[in-house]
């Protein structure tokens, strides 16, 4: 009797927890827009263009999920300290803000990381005039950095490991870090290499600063959702994977409609909703995949448009090449 009652209580708890977190898609659809948390200002990732429109690499993945669910997107600019609590509290539905997947974040905060959209690493930027060429020459340096991120611990670990000392100069917002460094309040600016490239592009004289060759950490960056809503997590994951698979298959915003009508490739037919019910199984309509690609293009388009060598950031693809080109970008099969 006691066992039966215990099982009933456990089942009731599971059902209650499931219901509490299983309505993100319903909420987004009913509301008519997706609430996406992103950077306040980080060129290439999330910033306002001259017309006041928010653009960037992270923004494009918000737009992709908005296209998947066929709703508009409203953005909530967040600092590093604000971003995870905003997701936990339900202030936003999705966090797409250069957030590093770590074990503690993934297991202790009630959050789920989805798909790594950028394989990055933390770097160190200095002025050329200092004559520094490697990180081992930074003993005793003052370092500007942003609080509320993995950056603080990474720097402390690196300097401790190499028996060096440093003085941190800490700020809540990345623009304040950049301004402090640019005006000479510290010797070093540190964050992810992609972030350093972004911040350097905003400096008064970008050409006077160099990013040292060492990477002091691994930074797999991924959009984040709340734990417990498996359907919503799957929607975000497969939306991102679709952009990656589209690049592998040569599908772009310009040709996706033609491909969907003419392709004889069974996997492409499934991934574009021509055959099967893969997208309907997620709670979406069959036109969702074509809508996603028409909105943001494929992964390569997203990278090159925002971060690539023809942008102010001038980043090479590196690890972010397709798996069949020596990189780590790899989408599971659509079947």
């Amino acid at each position: 009797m006691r066992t039966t009652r215990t099982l009933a209580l456990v089942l009731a708890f599971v059902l209650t927890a499931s219901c509490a977190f299983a309505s993100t898609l319903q909420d987004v659809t009913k509301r008519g827009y997706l609430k996406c948390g992103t950077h306040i200002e980080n060129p290439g990732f999330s910033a306002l263009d001259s017309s006041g429109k928010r653009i960037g690499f992270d923004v494009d993945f918000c737009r992709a999920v908005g296209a998947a669910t066929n709703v508009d997107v409203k953005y909530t600019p967040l600092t590093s300290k604000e971003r995870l609590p905003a997701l936990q509290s339900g202030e936003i539905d999705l966090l797409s803000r250069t957030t590093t997947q770590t074990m503690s974040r993934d297991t202790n905060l009630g959050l789920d990381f989805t798909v790594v959209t950028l394989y990055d690493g933390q770097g160190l930027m200095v002025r050329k005039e200092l004559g520094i060429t490697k990180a081992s020459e930074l003993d005793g340096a003052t370092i500007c950095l942003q609080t509320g991120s993995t950056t603080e611990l990474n720097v402390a670990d690196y300097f401790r490991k190499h028996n060096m000392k440093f003085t941190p100069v800490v700020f809540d917002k990345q623009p304040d870090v950049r301004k402090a460094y640019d005006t000479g309040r510290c010797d070093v600016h540190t964050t992810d290499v992609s972030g350093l490239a972004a911040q350097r592009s905003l400096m008064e004289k970008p050409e006077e600063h160099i990013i040292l060759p060492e990477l002091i950490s691994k930074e797999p960056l991924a959009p984040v959702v709340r734990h417990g809503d498996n359907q919503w997590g799957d929607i975000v994951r497969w939306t991102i994977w679709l952009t990656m698979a589209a690049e592998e298959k040569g599908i772009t915003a310009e040709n996706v409609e033609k491909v969907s009508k003419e392709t004889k490739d069974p996997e492409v037919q499934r991934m574009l909703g021509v055959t099967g019910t893969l997208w309907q199984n997620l709670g979406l309509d069959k036109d969702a995949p074509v809508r996603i690609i028409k909105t943001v293009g494929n992964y390569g388009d997203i990278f090159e448009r925002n971060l690539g060598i023809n942008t102010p950031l001038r980043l090479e693809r590196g690890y972010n090449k397709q798996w069949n080109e020596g990189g780590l970008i790899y989408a599971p099969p659509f079947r």
Side-chain angles (χ1 to χ4, degrees), residues 100-307:
T100 302
Q101 181 172 3
T102 69
M103 185 173 182
S104 59
R105 285 175 172 175
D106 200 30
T107 59
N108 296 344
L109 301 180
L111 303 174
D112 283 338
F113 286 79
T114 55
V115 177
V116 174
T117 53
L118 193 72
Y119 291 92
D120 207 344
Q122 187 170 328
L124 302 156
M125 181 164 62
V126 298
R127 295 171 188 80
K128 287 182 180 180
E129 65 182 22
L130 295 179
I132 292 171
T133 59
K134 52 188 177 181
S136 60
E137 300 170 353
L138 293 176
D139 191 17
T142 55
I143 301 181
C144 283
L145 51 86
Q146 185 177 13
T147 190
S149 70
T150 56
T151 301
E152 292 178 278
L153 181 59
N154 290 339
V155 169
D157 285 350
Y158 183 83
F159 274 73
R160 187 181 302 114
K161 177 180 177 181
H162 291 86
N163 297 313
M164 298 191 299
K165 295 182 180 180
F166 75 100
T167 301
V169 182
V170 180
F171 300 88
D172 285 337
K173 298 179 181 179
Q174 186 59 252
D176 294 332
V177 180
R178 181 189 73 246
K179 292 173 185 175
Y181 167 78
D182 205 18
T183 55
R185 288 187 59 184
C186 51
D187 306 308
V188 183
H189 185 345
T190 186
T191 187
D192 300 342
V193 168
S194 61
L196 289 177
Q199 296 302 310
R200 180 172 59 180
S201 72
L202 294 173
M203 291 179 183
E204 187 175 342
K205 297 180 179 179
E207 69 281 357
E208 294 184 358
H209 306 270
I210 61 169
I211 299 172
L212 299 179
E214 295 92 345
L215 293 180
I216 68 172
S217 70
K218 294 182 293 184
E219 303 295 325
L221 309 178
V224 195
V225 296
R226 282 183 295 279
H227 183 75
D229 189 341
N230 294 338
Q231 180 193 32
W232 184 245
D234 287 342
I235 288 171
V236 176
R237 288 184 186 90
W238 285 99
T239 295
I240 297 169
W241 277 325
L242 175 69
T243 69
M244 295 176 176
E247 182 184 20
E248 180 183 345
K249 298 286 189 178
I251 302 170
T252 67
E254 291 73 27
N255 70 16
V256 64
E257 289 187 323
K258 181 179 180 181
V259 171
S260 68
K261 294 174 182 177
E262 299 178 0
T263 183
K264 303 300 181 184
D265 183 329
E267 183 173 26
V268 173
Q269 291 176 337
R270 292 191 296 270
M271 64 186 272
L272 294 183
V274 178
T275 61
T277 59
L278 292 178
W279 296 95
Q280 292 93 320
N281 295 344
L282 286 175
L284 305 176
D285 62 84
K286 66 180 180 64
D287 297 322
V290 171
R291 202 163 51 237
I292 293 166
I293 301 303
K294 283 188 67 175
T295 300
V296 298
N298 64 44
Y299 177 85
D301 297 329
I302 296 169
F303 186 99
E304 296 299 341
R305 178 167 62 240
N306 296 295
L307 311 178

